[in-house]
Amino acid sequence: MTLPALALQDVRKRFGASEIIGGVSLAVQPGERVAVIGPNGAGKSTLFDLISGRTRPDGGQIWLHGARVDGKRPFEINRMGLSRSFQVSRVFGGLSVQDNLRCAALWALGYRYSLLRWLGRLRDVNQRTDELLERTRLAHRRHAMAAHLAYAEQRALEIGITLAGGARVVLLDEPTAGMNADETAHFIGLIRELTAGRTLLMVEHDMGVVFSLADRIAVLAQGRLLAFDTPETVRADARVKAVYLGSEADGPDAPDSLQAAHAGGRA
């Protein structure tokens, strides 16, 4: 049997008296795209922090391609083949698009103490950078300062940085947040293209994005896994509908949003 690309077994996390993650177990298969949804405060970002090593679980196990990673530091998990983006773009605003990607490629290819002025001599770094510029559709912006990019372009650059190391498992935290409808439609295609052949786990509030990209949907509620199945099955799940008929009923994840997204609308 093929090992899951990512597996969580009874993962738990508390902050003080509050249980944020309460025994989550799931397995994501190689090449699968999984969306994590849930009401505000459901524990989605904390779950990503646990998987990526920013926070240590209080219990349970996390496995990456068959190797335990719970308790390891973020850079160690990254070296094992997992990369993550964040809700807020984290790019070097004072560097060009090209040099942002060069820095990521330097780290990915094992260079540690090279100054930017030496980069012209590093053929492998520049080749990786050129590939990322093309794949993120930012080649025409290579010399622009990252701080001057449009918001959607900054998000594309961040995904390029995330993918620079060739990670087989990618975590994207609300990749389309703050985008308009046209930007979102463009970004769906970009994410699909950039993550082809990789395993994708994304937190996303836009149900149009979820239904366009996800093979399966994991629904978190109060730190527990409420459902984990295909989009069609999750949309029809009475427990999911019950959760979203609470205080989040008028929010972006409400049942009518799931219905509209499935029908092709943008929630």
Side-chain angles (χ1 to χ4, degrees):
M1 293 180 63
T2 303
L3 284 173
L6 180 69
L8 282 65
Q9 298 178 4
D10 196 30
V11 172
R12 300 176 179 273
K13 183 64 186 179
R14 302 183 69 92
F15 291 105
S18 300
E19 184 179 61
I20 307 302
I21 299 294
V24 170
S25 297
L26 59 83
V28 182
Q29 301 305 315
E32 189 175 25
R33 295 189 180 111
V34 171
V36 181
I37 68 172
N40 292 334
K44 302 183 295 294
S45 291
T46 298
L47 189 69
F48 266 29
D49 286 345
L50 293 169
I51 294 170
S52 61
R54 297 187 77 225
T55 302
R56 294 196 174 198
D58 296 324
Q61 300 176 359
I62 302 173
W63 298 78
L64 180 66
H65 294 295
R68 271 189 78 171
V69 296
D70 50 280
K72 291 187 178 296
R73 291 174 289 182
F75 80 87
E76 294 174 315
I77 297 174
N78 177 261
R79 287 290 181 205
M80 297 172 71
L82 182 143
S83 289
R84 176 191 178 177
S85 73
F86 292 83
Q87 285 182 334
V88 178
S89 294
R90 297 189 176 190
V91 299
F92 297 109
L95 295 180
S96 69
V97 171
Q98 180 172 261
D99 283 342
N100 267 272
L101 292 173
R102 278 175 164 175
C103 287
L106 276 170
W107 172 260
L109 293 171
Y111 296 98
R112 294 293 176 269
Y113 304 106
S114 296
L115 299 177
L116 288 177
R117 67 173 178 267
W118 296 341
L119 285 174
R121 306 175 188 174
L122 302 178
R123 182 175 299 177
D124 53 351
V125 170
N126 287 301
Q127 182 177 347
R128 177 73 62 87
T129 300
D130 287 342
E131 290 172 357
L132 290 168
L133 284 167
E134 291 296 331
R135 295 191 67 197
T136 55
R137 305 173 192 172
L138 292 172
H140 67 295
R141 300 284 274 159
R142 69 171 62 232
H143 299 304
M145 293 295 103
H148 298 160
L149 296 179
Y151 177 73
E153 291 176 324
Q154 287 193 359
R155 297 298 281 174
L157 175 57
E158 185 178 24
I159 290 183
I161 292 170
T162 301
L163 298 177
R168 291 180 292 165
V169 177
V170 179
L171 311 185
L172 299 183
D173 198 346
E174 299 195 30
T176 68
M179 294 185 187
N180 61 36
D182 289 341
E183 290 170 334
T184 297
H186 168 81
F187 222 65
I188 289 173
L190 186 61
I191 292 172
R192 183 180 291 114
E193 178 183 334
L194 290 174
T195 60
R198 305 174 194 258
T199 303
L200 173 64
L201 192 67
M202 65 177 179
V203 168
E204 182 56 65
H205 284 291
D206 187 323
M207 292 298 103
V209 177
V210 169
F211 277 91
S212 293
L213 287 173
D215 299 313
R216 287 194 291 170
I217 298 174
V219 184
L220 282 182
Q222 297 180 335
R224 298 182 182 277
L225 189 64
L226 185 66
F228 185 32
D229 215 318
T230 64
E232 293 78 12
T233 301
V234 167
R235 181 177 60 88
D237 193 310
R239 298 168 302 166
V240 175
K241 292 181 179 180
V243 166
Y244 287 124
L245 284 172
S247 61
E248 297 290 322
D250 296 325
D253 295 334
D256 57 341
S257 297
L258 291 169
Q259 182 74 32
H262 184 68
R266 182 175 186 270

